[in-house]
């Protein structure tokens, strides 16, 4: 048979193979969270207060420093950890001492956690301590109505009044 | 010595040997079927590397076209793509489909190409370079595709963003975690999106550079498929693009989770795994597999046969072996002895795969020479010309009957496993054409079968072409005109085609004029076999 007569068959074989490949380019579909579930994400960057770890310098320490570097307080380079608690409907779902980031441990502490929850109404409470002491000096609370496939985010802005519920 | 040389058995790990044999069992019928339908020259299964190159160009051209209409800001990216696939489906939309589907096919042809090179054992010893440089191409191709899906900024893009961030945020490379760029609509960062646009152009360019490096160690690399095959591939691509246009999924919405999406299983198969396993396990898997792949060429045991060697007194620097070597292992260098030629050949043993093709191309490789210690300009120490001549004479002694057929076989083809009257070579292009003349004119056989491996898939690259051209008198060294062509047959058959090989050999033997019917050959008898060529 002449070569030209084979062309349609060659084309058909390639097209059929390509059709198979193309079908897998968006099928089968993938579910990343179960049906009827929404997600709450707690995500923020915040550096604990370095000054809180400062202490008065002793006489000897001051004497060892060159005169132009003598400050009444000695402050460490590293930031302390922050402490975070997150409660959903009164149940503690997350609590941690989050260390600072960075090789010199002088970067902010970072939290990025997601929680899958069935659709419904939830009481969210988040607390954070960024200085020594026992009490949480930052707190945010909100009742959210989470629908299926909703994504709610809790961020934090020290200069914006604290926790922000998006 | 009549049987084919025993195949080296302990030159590979058992598991890998079985894996290769198993893959050959799958590939061979595919290759043979495609060879029949497409003809050996157009066989797509033998052109997987070149087709991948061609698909790259399709992706590049369609990508440039799409870029004209694509809005590179995160706010309008989605709507510009909708415009492409909506009102302008007939030009930009088709280009979008070509762009996506050619990319998908690149993954498929690349993986098939990788598995095929593995099954043919073409990655060990001095062949390591192409394999080793192939591994980064997998990464570059994937990063190219993933950044591409990200740019559409639809639900799938959002999913890609979320999971990619999860993967990348385990490394402290970005000041702020990447995930925070896609937290809420208020966090969405145009700057990061611009970086993505840049990456989606830069990484494919690096891929192209990598593809170019990938083929540097082989001579006459083919990067373009035959035009007709390219046209068929393009036509089929356009057809599927019209049949199932590539479309976006709903627009990205950061107040929602992309809970159910259509995933491109070629580019994103590991993303669902990343969700399940976590980032570290997935990185371990990806880096582990890549390292293993990259290290495979050096996995023991591998005993390589010795490289080709030059014999200066027999080399006149004619350049034929340089032309014919498939791995650029030979070059001409200024003469170092007193012979009146400007050049001599030099072999780089680190590049030589010991295919013997150079021995077959050297004009000094003629068995008619009288010397006791037969030498040639370039020879394989593992199977030198003198041994080849002895093997042929010995094989002749084992032949009997009216129609004696001697087989000169490639050890990678069907003839390599044949018994009786067979001399096997690493490649049939190692056979100097004068050897056939020698066998027939010295009446060592009534007919000669040159049994190569399969026609479209020369194990050593180029061997099939050189053999055909030498026999047709189109390439030095020619098969002399005086060799009666009806007493020579060429059979291209893979190791799985022993049936066809036997049938063609039998048909050839049956068609040979019986000994008695032929005029007595010019020279007969063993004692004259070493006579000088007239
Ligand atoms: C973008 C992806 C790739 C492209 C476009 C590509 C293309 C090519 C081309 C054009 C050739 C030359 C074929 C010839 O002329 O004989 C080749 C050879 C080869 N490729 Fe690739 N390749 C790709 C990926 C890979 C990968 C991932 C591997 C394996 C890890 C690989 C392994 C090889 C080997 C071992 C050879 C040499 C075979 C020999 O020595 O004869 N390639 N490739
Ligand atoms: S045997 Fe000869 S032709 Fe083959 S790779 Fe080595 S130098 Fe090149
Ligand atoms: S083909 Fe033979 S003579 Fe010519 S350059 Fe090579 S080794 Fe020398």
């Amino acid at each position: 048979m002449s070569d030209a007569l084979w062309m349609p068959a060659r084309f058909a074989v390639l097209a059929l193979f390509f059709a198979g490949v193309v079908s897998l380019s968006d099928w089968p579909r993938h579910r990343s969270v179960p049906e009827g579930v929404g997600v709450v994400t707690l995500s923020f960057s915040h550096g604990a207060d370095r000054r809180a770890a400062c202490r008065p310098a002793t006489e000897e320490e001051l004497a060892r420093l060159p005169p132009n570097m003598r400050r009444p307080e000695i402050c460490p380079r590293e930031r302390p950890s922050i402490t975070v608690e997150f409660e959903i409907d009164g149940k503690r779902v997350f609590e941690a001492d989050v260390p600072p980031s960075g090789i010199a441990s002088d970067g902010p502490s970072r939290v990025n956690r997601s929680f899958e929850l069935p659709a419904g109404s939830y009481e969210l409470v988040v607390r954070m301590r960024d200085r020594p002491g026992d009490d949480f000096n930052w707190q945010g609370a909100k009742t959210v109505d989470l629908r299926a496939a909703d994504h709610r985010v809790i961020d934090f802005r020290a200069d914006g009044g604290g926790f922000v519920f998006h | 010595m009549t049987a084919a040389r025993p195949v080296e058995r302990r030159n590979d790990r058992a598991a890998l040997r079985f894996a290769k044999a198993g893959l050959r069992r799958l590939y061979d019928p595919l290759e043979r079927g495609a060879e029949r339908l497409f003809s050996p020259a157009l066989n797509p299964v033998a052109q997987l590397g070149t087709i991948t190159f061609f698909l790259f160009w399709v992706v590049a051209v369609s990508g440039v076209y799409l870029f004209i209409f694509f809005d590179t800001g995160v706010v309008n990216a989605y709507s510009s793509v909708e415009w492409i696939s909506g009102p302008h489906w007939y030009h930009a939309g088709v280009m979008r489909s070509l762009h996506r589907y050619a990319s998908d096919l690149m993954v498929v042809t690349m993986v098939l190409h990788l598995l095929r090179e593995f099954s043919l054992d073409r990655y060990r010893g001095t062949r390591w370079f192409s394999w080793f440089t192939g591994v980064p191409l997998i990464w570059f191709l994937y990063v190219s595709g993933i950044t591409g899906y990200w740019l559409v900024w639809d639900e799938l893009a959002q999913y890609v963003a979320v999971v990619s961030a999860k993967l990348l945020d385990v490394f402290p490379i970005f000041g702020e975690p990447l995930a925070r760029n896609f937290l809420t609509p208020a966090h969405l960062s145009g700057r990061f999106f611009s970086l993505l646009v840049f990456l989606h152009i830069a990484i494919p360019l690096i891929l192209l550079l990598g593809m170019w490096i990938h083929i540097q160690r082989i001579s006459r690399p083919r990067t373009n498929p035959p035009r007709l095959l390219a046209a068929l591939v393009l036509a089929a691509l356009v057809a599927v693009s019209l049949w199932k246009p590539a479309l976006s999924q709903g627009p990205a919405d950061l107040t929602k989770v992309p809970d159910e999406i259509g995933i491109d299983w070629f580019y994103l198969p590991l993303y669902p795994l990343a969700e399940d396993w976590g980032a570290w396990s997935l990185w371990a898997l990806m880096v582990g597999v890549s390292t293993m792949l990259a290290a495979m060429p050096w996995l023991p045991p591998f005993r390589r046969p010795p490289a080709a060697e030059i014999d200066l007194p027999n080399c006149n620097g004619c350049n034929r072996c340089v032309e014919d070597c498939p791995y650029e292992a030979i070059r001409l260098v200024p003469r170092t002895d007193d012979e009146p030629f400007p050049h001599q050949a030099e072999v780089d043993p680190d590049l030589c795969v010991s295919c013997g093709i150079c021995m077959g191309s050297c004009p000094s490789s003629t068995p008619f020479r009288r010397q006791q210690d037969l030498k040639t300009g370039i020879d394989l120490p593992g199977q030198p010309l003198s041994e080849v001549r002895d093997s042929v004479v010995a094989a002749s002694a084992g032949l009997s009957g009216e129609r004696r057929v001697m087989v000169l076989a490639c050890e990678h083809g069907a003839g390599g496993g044949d018994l009786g009257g067979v001399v096997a070579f690493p490649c049939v292009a190692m056979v100097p054409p004068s050897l056939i003349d020698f066998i027939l004119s010295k009446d060592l056989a009534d007919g000669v079968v040159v049994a190569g491996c399969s026609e479209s898939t020369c194990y050593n690259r180029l061997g099939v072409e050189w053999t055909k051209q030498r026999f047709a008198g189109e390439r030095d060294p020619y098969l002399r005109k005086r060799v009666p062509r009806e007493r020579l047959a060429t059979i291209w058959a893979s190791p799985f085609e022993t049936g066809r090989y036997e049938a063609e050999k039998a048909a050839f033997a049956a068609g040979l004029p019986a000994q008695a019917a032929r005029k007595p050959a010019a020279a007969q008898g063993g004692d004259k076999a070493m006579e000088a060529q007239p």
Side-chain angles (χ1 to χ4, degrees):
Chain A
M1 194 165 21
S2 125
D3 203 47
L5 288 176
W6 280 108
M7 285 303 160
R10 292 169 180 166
F11 168 80
V13 165
L14 286 180
L16 215 69
F17 176 64
F18 289 8
V21 169
V22 157
S23 304
L24 289 173
S25 74
D26 62 357
W27 178 92
R29 291 174 73 76
H30 169 65
R31 233 187 197 289
S32 65
V33 295
E35 217 158 334
V37 163
V39 174
V40 174
T41 298
L42 179 62
S43 170
F44 61 88
S45 279
H46 175 63
D49 195 349
R50 237 188 307 229
R51 269 169 324 183
C54 296
R55 58 182 171 77
T58 61
E59 288 292 331
E60 300 93 85
E61 278 171 332
L62 280 177
R64 255 185 281 129
L65 288 169
N68 63 332
M69 304 249 313
R70 286 181 190 152
R71 301 267 185 286
E73 286 194 316
I74 288 190
C75 298
R77 169 111 196 252
E78 302 89 49
R79 288 179 188 276
S81 300
I82 61 170
T83 307
V84 182
E85 283 184 8
F86 182 39
E87 283 174 7
I88 299 176
D89 284 348
K91 232 178 59 213
R92 189 79 46 89
V93 291
F94 177 66
E95 64 177 310
D97 280 329
V98 189
S101 57
I103 301 165
S105 294
D106 56 350
S109 303
R110 289 180 181 138
V111 176
N112 190 40
R113 280 292 190 116
S114 290
F115 304 88
E116 292 183 2
L117 301 168
S121 181
Y122 294 96
E123 183 77 36
L124 306 179
V125 179
V126 54
R127 298 186 200 93
M128 193 240 298
R129 177 168 62 225
D130 64 357
R131 62 168 86 128
D134 280 339
D135 54 328
F136 288 93
N137 52 321
W138 298 99
Q139 169 150 347
K142 191 172 184 187
T143 307
V144 302
D145 203 12
L146 191 71
R147 282 161 303 168
D150 266 0
H151 185 220
R152 294 305 188 86
V153 174
I154 307 171
D155 198 358
F156 177 84
R157 274 179 212 289
D159 52 1
F163 285 103
V164 187
F165 289 78
H166 288 282
Chain B
M1 202 191 89
T2 48
R5 293 197 300 171
V7 184
E8 278 278 6
R9 286 246 174 260
R10 232 156 291 141
N11 209 3
D12 203 354
R13 315 205 141 221
L16 289 179
R17 208 169 63 228
F18 288 132
K20 285 168 199 173
L23 277 171
R24 282 322 299 163
R25 204 164 280 283
L26 294 177
Y27 268 99
D28 198 79
L30 250 170
E31 282 167 14
R32 303 293 78 76
E35 211 166 53
R36 230 159 288 145
L37 179 61
F38 284 82
S39 81
L42 298 184
N43 182 359
V45 189
Q47 299 273 352
L48 290 165
T50 59
I51 292 177
T52 313
F53 253 91
F54 176 69
L55 290 169
F56 178 89
W57 294 119
V58 174
V59 175
V61 170
S62 56
V64 168
Y65 192 81
L66 289 175
F67 201 69
I68 302 171
F69 306 103
F70 178 68
D71 190 311
T72 56
V74 66
V75 183
N76 293 323
Y78 180 81
S79 51
S80 73
V81 178
E82 284 298 275
W83 182 89
I84 284 169
S85 288
H88 290 262
W89 66 270
Y90 53 91
H91 63 111
V94 170
M95 283 296 197
R96 180 183 183 198
S97 303
L98 287 178
H99 194 67
R100 180 186 293 184
Y101 297 151
S103 306
D104 281 332
L105 274 165
M106 268 184 92
V107 173
V108 175
T109 53
M110 177 183 72
V111 170
L112 290 176
H113 165 67
L114 181 162
L115 289 175
R116 185 164 174 275
E117 298 299 337
F118 168 73
S119 76
L120 288 168
D121 201 18
R122 285 210 284 211
Y123 63 95
R124 299 194 294 158
T126 44
R127 287 184 173 90
W128 66 273
F129 185 84
S130 301
W131 180 270
F132 187 75
T133 55
V135 177
L137 301 185
I138 308 175
W139 282 79
F140 292 134
L141 183 59
Y142 270 86
V143 176
S144 303
I146 289 166
T147 49
Y149 271 114
W150 208 324
L151 289 186
V152 181
W153 206 233
D154 61 350
E155 284 172 15
L156 178 60
Q158 191 184 342
Y159 174 76
V160 168
V162 170
V163 182
S164 302
K166 188 171 163 177
L167 283 172
L168 291 171
D169 278 340
V170 298
F171 307 111
I173 27 176
F174 302 97
E176 277 284 283
L178 204 52
R180 289 185 56 79
N181 284 304
F182 316 101
L183 212 48
T184 69
H187 286 83
L188 196 55
S189 146
R191 275 225 327 274
F192 185 75
F193 203 75
S194 306
L195 175 66
L196 278 178
V197 176
F198 169 75
L199 287 179
H200 189 60
I201 297 168
I203 308 267
L205 287 176
I206 299 176
L207 171 63
L208 180 61
L209 178 69
M211 282 158 52
W212 177 76
I213 294 172
H214 181 61
I215 49 164
Q216 285 311 299
R217 272 266 190 114
I218 51 181
S219 57
R220 304 166 197 266
R222 264 185 294 246
T223 56
N224 292 320
R227 236 175 259 172
L228 201 52
L229 181 61
L232 279 166
V233 167
L234 188 61
L237 263 174
V238 172
V240 292
S241 296
L242 293 172
W243 166 65
K244 185 178 188 296
L247 299 174
S248 305
Q249 306 182 33
D253 177 359
L254 295 174
T255 68
K256 296 271 172 203
V257 274
D259 59 341
E260 205 204 66
I261 56 251
I263 277 205
D264 185 311
W265 293 102
F266 300 101
Y267 279 99
L268 304 168
L270 297 181
Y271 273 48
L273 268 190
E275 290 175 273
D276 282 356
W277 292 9
W280 283 116
S281 317
L282 199 73
W283 280 113
L285 176 79
M286 294 190 298
V287 172
V289 168
S290 305
T291 313
M292 260 171 48
L293 268 183
M296 269 176 55
W298 294 278
L299 195 71
F302 180 70
R303 282 196 304 276
R304 62 170 288 203
E309 278 173 7
I310 306 284
D311 182 52
L312 263 194
N314 283 296
C315 169
N316 62 16
C318 72
N319 204 43
R320 284 177 199 167
C321 57
V322 180
E323 286 277 320
D324 282 8
C325 170
Y327 287 91
E328 297 210 311
I330 318 172
R331 54 186 193 134
L332 284 191
V333 295
R335 202 78 201 179
T336 56
D337 60 9
D338 301 330
E339 297 292 329
F341 307 109
H343 295 113
Q344 66 189 44
E346 184 183 86
V347 177
D348 181 347
D350 288 339
L351 299 180
C352 171
V353 303
S354 316
C355 64
I357 290 178
C358 49
M359 195 275 259
S361 72
C362 182
S364 308
S365 299
T366 159
F368 286 101
R369 292 177 155 195
R370 255 174 187 283
Q371 299 157 321
Q372 267 307 304
D373 186 17
L374 186 59
K375 292 250 173 148
T376 177
I378 187 164
D379 214 345
L380 273 195
Q383 194 180 5
L385 179 63
S386 57
E387 187 191 306
V388 168
R389 185 171 68 181
D390 292 348
S391 307
V392 163
V393 173
S396 166
L399 294 173
S400 58
E402 278 286 274
R403 299 176 173 92
R404 298 163 304 154
V405 171
M406 189 177 310
V407 179
L408 306 176
C410 165
E411 63 191 16
H412 306 285
D418 198 357
L419 296 172
V422 180
V423 181
F425 301 85
C427 177
V428 281
M430 175 173 168
V431 174
S434 55
L435 183 67
I436 295 161
D437 192 4
F438 179 77
I439 293 167
L440 293 176
S441 63
K442 302 294 177 198
D443 197 33
L444 297 174
D446 302 305
V448 171
V449 165
V450 170
C453 49
S454 51
E455 190 167 1
S456 58
T457 58
C458 171
Y459 176 82
N460 285 304
R461 309 183 67 250
L462 309 178
V464 174
E465 262 169 273
W466 296 168
T467 303
K468 284 183 183 169
Q469 291 178 15
R470 288 171 191 167
F471 288 4
E474 293 161 358
R475 186 177 195 85
D476 272 332
Y478 302 162
L479 178 64
R480 297 181 65 179
K481 281 222 169 60
R482 72 170 193 190
V483 176
R485 301 302 148 119
E486 71 281 2
R487 293 173 65 192
L488 170 66
T490 317
I491 302 176
W492 305 112
S494 84
F496 293 91
E497 294 181 292
T498 43
R500 180 167 69 77
Y501 162 78
E502 291 295 349
E504 285 188 23
K505 183 180 154 191
F508 167 67
L512 282 175
Q515 218 169 14
R518 280 201 326 266
K519 275 185 280 171
Q524 270 191 3
D527 54 336
K528 288 187 197 160
M530 305 291 163
E531 216 172 25
Q533 191 170 8

